[in-house]
Amino acid sequence: MRGPLVVLLCCMVALGACRREAPQTGPVDPSGDGQVTISGDDLVIADLNWTPPPVRIEEGAEGDARARAAEALGDDDLHATPASAIPLYLALSAISGEERAAAAGLRRARIRLLALGTMALDEADTGDSIAGLRAAHEFAAVARFLAADDPDVLTYLQRVDESDRLWELNRAAERALDAGELGEDGGGALAGFRQAAALRPGQPRAMQGLAAVESALIRRAEVAGSEGDFQTAARWLAHAAEVRPGMQTVVDARQRIQRMRATRIQRLRDEGVAALPKINGVAQARQRLAEILTIAEPGDPVARDLRQRIDRAVHYGDFRPGQVFTDALEGGARGPQMVVLPHGGFMMGALPGDADAEDNERPRHAVRFERGFAMGVREITVGEFRRFVETTGYQSRAVRRGFSMAYDERTGNFLRRSNVDWRSDYAGAPAADTLPVLHVSARDAQAYADWLSAQSGRRYRLPSEAEFEYAFRNGTSERYPWGEGTPPQGSGNMTGALDRSPSGRRWGNAFAGYGDGHWGPAPVGSFRPNPWGVHDLEGNVSEWMGDCWHATYRRAPADGSAWINPGCRDQVIRGGSWASSPAQTRASWRALAQVDTTNARIGFRVVRDL
């Protein structure tokens, strides 16, 4: 059985110590760098001249020569030695009487020569064999010597020329590839391999070269991706997609780089989140977000998550808008329930055209909270104030002086009554723990807030009146939370025309057609909260603010902070009570009270910084 064609060709053309050579262009490097290996011994000698080896046939040995020539022809030993078929037939053609036999033998030899040459060209073109191309040249030289004008020879010679061109195109493209001259913008390895593929469609060496260029472009894309330059990576992938359109390799590479992108984005997000609680952490997190935005697709959910976390950290610390929470106090107790209000802005003060407004509610002005804050969901209760007093031994103002202002059912007025303090209800009777604490001064309320701060390690305080009105309006710009007119049933504990005292008294100035079923404060949270989750801002009890009293809003803080003058004797109260007129239930209503004032209409709630 014959061995590979390349071995046979080496023997036939007698190329000295001819051996089977290793392929001149190896497979694409597994590393994916798109390189091919080029041998230094890949030059094709384009000499198509052949000189027959000298043959001497003794007189009378013509028959033996014919037999040897036929045997050599059958063994495909055509031209390399004096014992080869063509030299023998050429020698016989010069002997009288042998011309016809010699011509027939030469004809058969030429046909076989072209057949073997075609096989050699196939080996060179498809098997990437320099030996096959050299053998094809050798056959071409012999065929040209025998019949330069023969149509079959001319066709074969043209095929040899094309194979030479193909070889040179591939070789030049491979050198460009190894030099990194890929030709994504024209020329280079890509142009060479494309010309080779056009010359011989599907030629393996050219196809392998195109795959190598594609691989090199993909490798560049992956390097760019590993460095975080996904814009450049996308550009290299776009070039790679044009090399062999529709190939899965680029699709797979794009998925790998997308995973790189996702991994990098996730890492940057995690670094940003980890930085937020640290000193200068917001700035670091913003830097990570900026890096993400340079590589992420629009609307990337990871980028959106980090941006939201940064916004929350800036405006709410560890909280989120609408979150309800309580802080742990020493000894295992819990503080009052708080709700996180959103940062934002509003117009504070009386609405234009409000006939009930007074000068102290003007001028209307813009207030903006750059950071959210937490407000008590409900007013502070008797039970909550009791825990403070029992823990600290604190004596409120009413306890120390022995009296407060309580409601007198007999006269329908508020009168000074002895032994009335924070433990008493609006009429001076013992108060249930669920009722809002009454008969507390501004200083009593501040003392409670200070105690909460010490117990929780967080800053609690009285609301600023800007915070109170902001929460009261909760995004609306109406006089009342419900707009105008009679409140919807269940809105809150306010003076309603349908309310009755224990002895049947009615309010002289009340909301027509409204009743809430209470004469005096209701247990905190008895009515539905506003949209931000806060109860009883418009009713139940009026509340102490942290602000000192100022007769107008001129020069008032624009950041929502409390407007304080050291040592002030008058502080602001806000919000309607169970005994307030409709005008005193408006969002912009405000009044002053001496800091030591205690009565049956004023309580308080707290806020907490985030």
Side-chain angles (χ1 to χ4, degrees), residues 525-544:
S526 295
F527 300 90
R528 59 175 174 265
N530 74 5
W532 284 356
V534 187
H535 292 265
D536 299 324
L537 291 172
E538 64 281 281
N540 216 31
V541 296
S542 297
E543 301 177 21
W544 285 112

Side-chain angles (χ1 to χ4, degrees), residues 433-449:
D433 279 356
T434 57
L435 288 171
V437 67
L438 302 171
H439 310 293
V440 287
S441 69
R443 289 170 175 163
D444 296 336
Q446 186 61 53
Y448 176 84

Side-chain angles (χ1 to χ4, degrees), residues 70 134 182 257 357 386 437 489 540 571 573:
R134 287 172 176 162
L182 303 184
I257 291 174
R386 186 189 307 282
V437 67
Q489 289 302 313
N540 216 31
Q571 283 186 217
I573 58 172

Side-chain angles (χ1 to χ4, degrees), residues 128-163:
D128 194 24
S129 168
I130 187 65
L133 188 56
R134 287 172 176 162
H137 272 259
E138 189 81 15
F139 292 137
V142 176
R144 186 167 174 267
F145 177 87
L146 294 177
D149 296 329
D150 181 78
D152 292 336
V153 172
L154 291 174
T155 299
Y156 175 72
L157 292 175
Q158 183 179 359
R159 170 81 189 279
V160 171
D161 287 342
E162 289 180 356
S163 293

